[in-house]
Each structure stands twice: as structure tokens, then as C-alpha cells.
């Protein structure tokens, strides 16, 4: 007899219907009988159950699996006595190992959640989950998706995958679908996506408990890492832009701590390869930057920091027993990497008050276009600046400053400057011994070129008096001192009458010259000029006796003769000798005239005597 539904059964008892045996039979067949059907409804303690009886416990069907009847007791519920009861839901699609608390699906096909209920819309993976997809066909998926930002799909082990793979799809509009595919093979683990902004990794401090975590969104929290696709030009392969702590990287590598600094590798705004480091502190002023770029013609460094570039050395280090660990010096862990207090090596800057560059080596505040300073504060300056702007340094110059006297307790530095003006070149110094020129001997070895105390003295220019020049020696008493021979085509001595006082004629020198005895001599070996052969001169003691004006004595006691000053003496001696010869000539002429007169008288007498004798003879 077929079973009737409840509506049919109710109609039997309406309108004073005449009930028959068939009606009661249909009613009895429609009811459950605990004995015949072995279904007892809810499990209850104290109830007697036979093998094969079925109950409901915790919203689940259980079958009595014992071979003997039992009387249910509290604490012996079906879930607590699985040796007596077994779950009635085992339809052979799941395998359960209760004692190991393990279960797995026996179905070897595909499972779909939100997908597969309609023809043409079957799961495409072993696990295919779709959310908010109202249309049932594949065509509907691509043509009429709801504009729901939460719509999406998750496929685990897609049927077309060639490796271990899962696929995520996000549907925004029918024409906009983004994908995320993760795959694993023996060669690589891969992530693939067509999302416009690539990949983002975030950290969310708000998800502190289970309830708040359930409300979290994937877009919550701060970006830790962002990986964006970048395309330099149309149809060109895309490459990655990686941002650390930045959501939209502006370079192929963009690293920032958001409030202190930022580091850019190959910024997108630059056409040439560039590295840029940006200081974001203080936050109320424009950031400062350092950029290193290279193109096909040059490598350039750029910054807008007012102090320019500073190169420093941190001498602190942790060394091994031999001062070296693993072949390299190790940097001390105590060195503060953020400190800028190391030894100054070099400074490159734009002058704060002028529009010209300055480079300082060993000095923090250069005062020249190139300013070099050693550990003793000795300095060399190329194109030094005399004032606060470039107009004060119109004449190019090179300056050297020696601080040794000051470092040893002296009261000042010494300097040497080489400069040029439109009309002349200038050497200037405040060194007490002026300028010294030396030559190194070819026989010298080692680094004697670094020792200024060595070498042969060639020329010294002393600032004493109005300036003194020494050739082969340091001048001490004379404006020009030559340790050796001198040669010139002409030598002029100043003789301006306006420069002369107390002029007195030189007289009576001829007799004094007679007291001088010129001699020949050779220089002593100690002078270094013994090879110059025989010399002619005067005895200085004799000269000093008669002409002390041409004798001078140096501070070291060495006497000298001004031989050129004896020229007037010789002239006067010649004059006196000429005058003497003239007088003697006159006297001789007078004597000759007198003798001539005497001879004339004698001749007359002889003639007269001869005449008288002849007359006497004739008579």
C-alpha cells in the first residue's frame, strides 16, 4: 500500500468522513513504530535500546551497534560509548578513525562549495570554493558577475595545473578579475598575480583576540613589504618594484621607516641608474637627500644638504689575537652606526655664503676650494677664500700653513702663499727664515724627499732687513751672499748724488798702496772651493791698516774685503801718480833747459877761445 502524505491523511478525518479499514491502515503505515522501525527519536537515559535501534544525539543520528540490549545511563551517551553506538552518517564518502581523531574524504573527484549545483558550472579543482556567485554557468561568471568586492573563488589543485597549485580569483566587475596563483615544483616555489599593484604584506596589531580577528580585513594594518609590477615602456617586459614599509614604491627598491629615512634604488623618475638616500628628519622642513647616478659619460654625486658630503673614519674596532678576524678587520659592536662623530676624512660642500664648491680633506669646514689638513693641523689651501663670498678671492693662490710651532706651544702658525695677480706672480711667507731652495743629491736613497731638513742648500731668501738672498748659504749680514763664484755681464752700483752725504775727496793713497802686497793663494779644503785653483788677492790685515772702509766683519767673525771699493783708490793712486809724474816732468824739462843754457855759454866760450887762438897764430 502506498504511503500518503500528512495532507492526505488529514482529509480522511474531515467533513464527517466515513472511515474504513484502509484509512486506518494508511494512517498506521504513515507513523513510525519504535519496534518495527527501530527509531526512538532523542536519546534518553533509562531507555532500553535493542541492537539496530536509531536515536538522535547532539543533532546527529546514532545506531546501536551492540549485540545485546542495553539500558542507557547518564555518562554513557552515544558519543561517549562509541563501542556501543556508531554514527549513522557514514555514507562511505568519508573515512573516520575515531581513536586517532582523523577523518578524510574517500571521494576522488572534485568538491565544490558555491559551485557545481547547476549544469555547466562544475568544480574545476579538487576543492573549488566560490563566494557570491549568483549565476550558475561559466558564461554567467564572466558576463554578469555582481559588483561585489567580496566576490571570489578559491581552487585547490586545479585540474589543469601541472604542479602543486592553488588559485585565488577576485571579481570586482564583470570585466575586472584579478588572480593569485601559488605553485610548487621541484625547481621553484612560485607566486603569480595580475593584480595592478602586485603583492602586499601587512602587519595588523589590532587582531589581538579571536573575536576581533574574525572582523579583520586583508587590507588592515601597516604595509611591511609591497611588490609592484613596473613597465618601463609599452610592450616591454615588466619588472618588480619592491617597497619595504611603503605601499606604493617609487623605485625598483624603496625602503623607508616612514618617519626617519628613505632609500631608493633606481627611482622611477630618473632615466639613468640612481641610488638615493633621503633624510626625513626634522619632519617640519624639506627632506635632505644624497643621490649617486651614472650615465654614459659621467658618474655624479648630488645632495641638497647644506654641509655637502662628509667622509669619516671610525677607528674603533674589535680585533682578534693578531688584530684580524678571518682575514678582515671587524667593526666594533660598540660603534654607533648612526653617529657622525668619526674622524673627518673629507668634506665636499657648497660654500654656505657663496656659489662655489669647497673640498676639505681632514677638515670639517674648508676655507678654500681645496683645503687639506693633517692631524697636526698643518694645511694646504688651493684657491683660499679671504672673505665670506667668492668675490673676496679674485686672485688665484695656493697657501700652506704650518702649525707645528703652535702645537709645540708657540704663539702663531707660519704660512707660505703662492699667488698671481694680473701683473705679477707673488710668493709670500711669514716664516722667520724666509724662503729656502734645496736640491737632493742623486746618491741619496730612501724617502729623503719627504724630509725637508735634508738636501743641499741652493738659495735662501731671508726677510731680514729689506730682504737678503743667499746662494749656497743662508745670508746673515749681506743683502746678497754667494757661497762660490758669481758671473755677470755688467754690475752696476747705485751712485745717485741724492743718496750721498758727507762727500770728501780721497787723497794721499799712493803711499798707502805701497803698504799693500798682492799675493796668490788657494782656498782651504773646508770652504769646498779648493778645486778652483790659484787665486789673487790682498792680505786683509794690510788692507785694514790703510783702508778700513773696505773691510767688514760678519756676525760669525768672518772678515771680508769689498774689492770693488778699491777701484776708486786705484783711480786716485793713478791720479796722484800722474800728477807726480807731471811735476817731475816739468822739473826735468827745467833742468834740461838749464843744461842747454849752460852748454850754449860753454860753446860760445869755446868758439871765442878758438877764435882768439887762431888770431894769435895768425898774428
Amino acid at each position: 500500500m502506498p504511503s500518503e502524505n500528512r495532507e492526505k491523511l488529514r482529509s480522511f478525518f474531515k467533513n464527517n468522513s466515513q472511515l474504513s479499514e484502509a484509512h486506518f491502515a494508511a494512517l498506521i503505515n504513515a507513523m513510525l513504530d519504535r519496534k518495527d522501525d527501530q527509531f526512538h527519536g532523542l536519546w534518553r537515559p533509562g531507555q532500553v535500546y535493542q541492537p539496530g535501534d536509531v536515536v538522535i544525539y547532539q543533532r546527529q543520528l546514532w545506531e546501536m551497534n551492540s549485540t545485546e540490549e542495553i539500558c542507557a545511563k547518564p555518562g554513557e551517551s552515544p558519543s561517549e560509548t562509541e563501542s556501543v553506538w556508531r554514527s549513522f552518517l557514514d555514507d562511505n564518502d568519508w573515512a573516520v578513525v575515531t581513536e586517532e581523531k582523523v577523518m578524510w574524504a574517500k571521494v576522488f573527484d572534485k568538491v565544490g562549495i558555491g559551485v557545481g549545483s547547476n549544469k555547466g558550472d562544475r568544480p574545476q579543482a579538487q576543492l573549488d570554493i566560490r563566494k557570491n556567485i549568483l549565476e550558475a554557468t561559466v558564461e554567467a561568471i564572466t558576463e554578469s558577475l555582481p559588483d561585489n568586492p567580496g566576490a571570489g573563488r578559491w581552487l585547490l589543485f586545479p585540474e589543469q595545473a601541472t604542479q602543486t597549485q592553488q588559485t585565488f580569483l577576485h571579481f570586482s566587475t564583470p570585466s575586472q578579475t584579478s588572480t593569485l596563483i601559488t605553485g610548487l615544483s621541484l625547481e621553484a616555489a612560485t607566486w603569480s598575480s595580475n593584480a595592478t599593484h602586485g603583492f602586499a604584506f601587512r602587519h595588523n596589531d589590532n587582531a589581538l583576540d579571536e573575536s576581533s580577528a574574525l572582523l579583520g580585513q586583508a587590507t588592515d594594518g601597516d604595509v611591511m613589504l609591497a611588490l609592484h609590477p613596473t613597465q618601463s615602456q609599452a610592450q616591454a617586459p615588466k619588472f618588480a618594484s619592491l617597497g619595504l614599509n611603503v605601499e606604493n614604491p617609487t623605485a625598483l627598491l624603496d625602503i623607508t621607516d616612514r618617519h626617519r629615512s628613505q632609500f631608493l634604488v633606481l627611482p622611477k623618475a630618473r632615466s639613468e641608474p640612481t641610488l638615493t638616500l633621503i633624510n626625513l628628519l626634522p619632519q617640519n622642513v624639506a627632506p635632505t637627500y644624497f643621490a649617486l647616478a651614472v650615465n654614459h659619460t659621467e658618474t655624479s654625486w648630488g645632495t641638497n644638504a647644506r654641509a655637502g658630503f662628509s667622509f669619516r673614519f671610525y677607528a674603533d674596532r674589535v680585533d682578534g689575537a693578531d688584530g684580524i678576524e678571518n682575514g678582515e678587520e671587524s667593526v666594533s659592536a660598540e660603534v654607533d652606526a648612526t653617529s657622525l662623530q668619526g674622524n673627518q676624512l673629507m668634506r665636499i660642500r657648497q660654500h654656505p655664503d657663496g656659489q662655489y664648491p669647497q673640498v676639505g680633506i681632514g677638515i670639517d669646514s674648508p676655507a678654500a676650494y681645496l683645503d687639506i689638513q693633517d692631524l697636526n693641523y698643518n694645511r694646504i689651501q688651493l684657491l683660499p677664500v679671504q672673505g665670506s663670498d667668492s668675490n673676496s678671492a679674485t686672485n688665484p693662490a695656493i697657501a700652506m700653513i704650518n702649525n707645528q710651532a703652535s702645537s709645540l706651544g708657540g704663539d702663531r702658525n707660519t704660512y707660505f702663499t703662492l699667488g698671481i695677480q694680473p701683473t705679477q706672480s707673488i710668493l709670500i711667507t711669514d716664516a722667520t727664515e724666509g724662503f729656502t731652495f734645496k736640491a737632493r743629491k742623486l746618491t741619496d736613497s730612501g724617502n729623503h724627499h719627504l724630509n725637508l731638513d735634508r738636501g743641499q742648500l741652493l738659495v735662501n731668501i731671508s726677510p731680514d732687513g729689506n730682504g737678503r738672498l743667499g746662494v749656497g748659504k743662508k745670508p746673515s749680514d749681506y743683502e746678497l751672499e754667494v757661497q762660490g763664484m758669481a758671473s755677470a755681464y755688467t754690475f752696476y752700483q747705485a751712485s745717485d748724488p741724492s743718496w750721498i752725504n758727507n762727500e770728501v775727496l780721497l787723497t794721499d793713497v799712493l803711499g798707502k798702496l805701497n803698504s799693500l802686497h798682492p799675493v796668490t793663494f788657494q782656498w782651504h779644503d773646508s770652504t769646498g772651493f779648493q778645486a778652483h785653483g790659484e787665486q789673487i788677492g790682498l792680505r786683509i790685515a794690510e788692507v785694514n791698516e790703510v783702508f778700513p772702509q773696505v773691510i767688514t766683519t760678519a756676525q760669525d767673525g768672518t772678515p771680508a774685503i769689498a774689492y770693488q771699493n778699491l777701484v776708486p783708490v786705484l783711480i786716485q793712486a793713478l791720479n796722484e801718480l800722474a800728477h807726480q809724474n807731471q811735476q817731475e816732468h816739468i822739473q826735468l824739462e827745467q833742468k834740461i833747459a838749464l843744461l842747454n843754457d849752460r852748454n850754449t855759454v860753454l860753446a860760445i866760450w869755446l868758439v871765442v877761445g878758438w877764435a882768439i887762438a887762431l888770431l894769435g897764430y895768425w898774428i
Side-chain angles (χ1 to χ4, degrees):
M1 181 177 180
S3 298
E4 304 290 346
N5 58 34
R6 285 188 176 90
E7 190 64 29
K8 182 68 174 179
L9 293 174
R10 288 191 188 98
S11 67
F12 294 161
F13 299 92
K14 292 180 179 180
N15 301 322
N16 298 318
S17 300
Q18 190 73 27
L19 298 177
S20 65
E21 182 181 354
H23 292 152
F24 284 101
L27 178 61
I28 292 173
N29 289 333
M31 296 177 63
L32 286 174
D33 183 76
R34 292 186 178 182
K35 186 68 174 177
D36 293 340
D37 299 323
Q38 291 190 299
F39 181 74
H40 294 263
L42 294 177
W43 177 87
R44 290 183 178 88
Q47 179 73 39
V48 176
Y49 296 104
Q50 299 293 328
D53 286 350
V54 177
V55 298
I56 299 175
Y57 181 74
Q58 293 183 345
R59 303 181 65 180
Q60 185 175 350
L61 293 175
W62 295 83
E63 181 183 8
M64 202 277 205
N65 198 32
S66 177
T67 58
E68 299 178 355
E69 69 175 13
I70 62 170
C71 180
K73 299 177 181 180
E76 295 181 356
S77 65
S79 63
E80 294 173 315
T81 56
E82 294 183 358
S83 61
V84 177
W85 297 91
R86 69 180 180 87
S87 174
F88 198 78
L89 295 180
D90 187 1
D91 53 0
N92 206 34
D93 56 354
W94 291 90
V96 179
V97 182
T98 305
E99 59 272 15
E100 297 182 12
K101 297 182 179 181
V102 174
M103 63 182 295
W104 67 90
K106 295 181 179 180
V107 178
F108 294 98
D109 205 347
K110 307 176 185 68
V111 176
I113 300 177
V115 62
S117 59
N118 296 294
K119 184 178 180 180
D121 182 25
R122 296 294 186 236
Q124 303 297 312
Q126 290 208 270
L127 178 60
D128 191 342
I129 302 175
R130 184 192 295 153
K131 176 188 177 185
N132 290 340
I133 302 301
L134 302 181
E135 300 296 334
T137 64
V138 177
E139 291 79 6
I141 294 175
T142 59
E143 294 179 2
S144 59
L145 289 175
D147 187 8
N148 186 346
R153 192 171 180 178
W154 175 36
L155 295 91
L156 185 60
F157 293 103
E159 61 182 358
Q160 301 299 329
T162 59
Q163 56 181 245
T164 303
Q165 179 176 309
Q166 65 174 336
T167 302
F168 293 89
L169 289 85
H170 175 78
F171 310 109
S172 178
T173 65
S175 60
Q176 293 181 327
T177 301
S178 60
T179 63
L180 171 61
I181 301 174
T182 60
L184 179 64
S185 67
L186 293 177
E187 292 78 19
T190 58
W191 293 54
S192 175
S193 176
N194 67 339
T196 305
H197 289 169
F199 302 89
F201 299 83
R202 296 175 178 268
H203 179 263
N204 186 4
D205 289 331
N206 297 326
L208 302 178
D209 52 43
E210 184 177 359
S211 60
S212 59
L214 294 176
L215 300 176
Q217 300 293 324
T219 55
D220 293 342
D222 297 324
V223 172
M224 299 289 102
L225 184 146
L227 190 61
H228 283 201
T230 302
Q231 192 166 14
S232 60
Q233 56 186 344
Q235 307 302 324
K238 291 187 177 181
F239 47 89
S241 293
L242 177 63
L244 296 181
N245 305 318
V246 59
E247 186 168 0
N248 295 305
T250 59
L252 263 65
L253 177 60
D254 189 341
I255 304 175
T256 180
D257 58 5
R258 296 188 177 92
H259 68 279
R260 185 181 59 177
S261 59
Q262 187 174 10
F263 179 56
L264 305 177
V265 179
L266 301 180
K268 299 177 183 178
R270 301 283 296 183
S271 59
E272 65 272 7
T274 304
L275 299 178
T276 303
L277 184 63
I278 303 173
N279 189 331
L280 303 177
L281 295 176
Q283 297 182 1
N284 58 344
V285 299
T288 55
Y289 70 87
F290 160 69
L292 169 62
V294 60
N295 57 33
H296 66 284
T297 59
E298 65 177 3
T299 299
S300 60
W301 299 48
T303 184
N304 64 341
R306 292 192 301 173
F309 300 92
S310 179
F311 300 83
R312 296 177 179 269
F313 173 72
Y314 298 90
D316 296 335
R317 65 178 186 269
V318 178
D319 295 340
D322 58 354
I324 294 179
E325 293 182 351
N326 299 325
E328 297 181 357
E329 295 183 355
S330 57
V331 179
S332 171
E334 299 179 356
V335 174
D336 183 1
T338 63
S339 173
L340 296 178
Q341 302 304 316
N343 295 331
Q344 181 70 53
L345 298 181
M346 183 167 68
R347 165 82 67 184
I348 303 176
R349 71 174 186 178
Q350 191 82 356
H351 190 276
D353 300 325
Q355 300 300 318
Y356 55 93
Q358 291 183 317
V359 177
I361 299 178
I363 186 170
D364 191 58
S365 299
Y369 279 72
L370 176 60
D371 196 341
I372 304 174
Q373 178 176 280
D374 66 8
L375 296 179
N376 296 320
Y377 300 99
N378 300 314
R379 298 171 71 176
I380 297 177
Q381 296 179 335
L382 177 62
L383 301 179
V385 179
Q386 301 169 4
S388 61
D389 56 66
S390 59
N391 294 327
S392 62
T394 56
N395 296 315
I398 300 175
M400 299 183 184
I401 302 173
N402 189 314
N403 190 57
Q404 291 186 10
S406 177
S407 62
L408 296 175
D411 56 354
R412 66 181 182 88
N413 299 328
T414 55
Y415 71 88
F416 162 66
T417 301
L418 167 63
I420 184 171
Q421 294 178 338
T423 58
Q424 61 181 338
S425 297
I426 297 176
L427 293 172
I428 184 172
T429 184
D430 64 345
T432 56
E433 295 185 6
F435 300 94
T436 297
F437 300 84
K438 291 185 175 182
R440 178 189 174 193
K441 296 180 179 180
L442 295 178
T443 56
D444 288 346
S445 60
N447 293 327
H448 297 312
H449 62 283
L450 302 178
N451 188 348
L452 299 182
D453 294 328
R454 296 182 64 89
Q456 179 183 354
L457 175 63
L458 298 180
V459 176
N460 177 260
I461 303 175
S462 171
D464 293 342
N466 294 324
R468 293 174 178 172
L469 175 64
V471 179
K473 63 175 296 185
K474 291 183 178 180
S476 58
D477 299 273
Y478 313 103
E479 278 63 34
L480 175 62
E481 294 188 35
V482 179
Q483 186 77 8
M485 298 186 298
S487 173
Y489 290 107
T490 304
F491 183 79
Y492 293 94
Q493 186 171 346
S495 300
D496 192 323
S498 62
W499 298 346
I500 298 175
N501 292 323
N502 303 322
E503 182 181 281
V504 178
L505 292 175
L506 186 62
T507 60
D508 300 328
V509 300
L510 189 57
K512 297 178 180 179
L513 287 179
N514 292 330
S515 64
L516 300 180
H517 301 88
V519 297
T520 62
F521 66 93
Q522 289 183 337
W523 291 110
H524 192 271
D525 293 348
S526 61
T527 64
F529 292 93
Q530 65 276 10
H532 288 278
E534 193 173 69
Q535 307 291 317
I536 296 176
L538 298 173
R539 294 171 178 168
I540 194 166
E542 295 177 351
V543 177
N544 191 45
E545 286 291 333
V546 292
F547 299 111
Q549 301 93 330
V550 300
I551 301 297
T552 185
T553 302
Q555 296 178 11
D556 61 359
T558 303
I561 301 174
Y563 280 98
Q564 73 278 6
N565 289 351
L566 290 176
V567 172
V569 175
L570 296 177
I571 294 175
Q572 178 61 27
L574 290 176
N575 289 336
E576 291 182 359
L577 183 58
H579 179 72
Q580 180 179 344
N581 289 339
Q582 184 178 10
Q583 294 298 322
E584 291 178 352
H585 180 70
I586 293 174
Q587 292 176 2
L588 180 59
E589 287 182 345
Q590 290 176 350
K591 290 180 180 180
I592 292 174
L594 181 59
L595 290 175
N596 290 334
D597 291 341
R598 291 177 179 177
N599 292 331
T600 301
V601 173
L602 180 59
I604 293 173
W605 282 107
L606 289 174
V607 171
V608 173
W610 280 101
I612 293 175
L614 289 174
L615 288 176
Y617 177 74
W618 287 337
I619 297 176

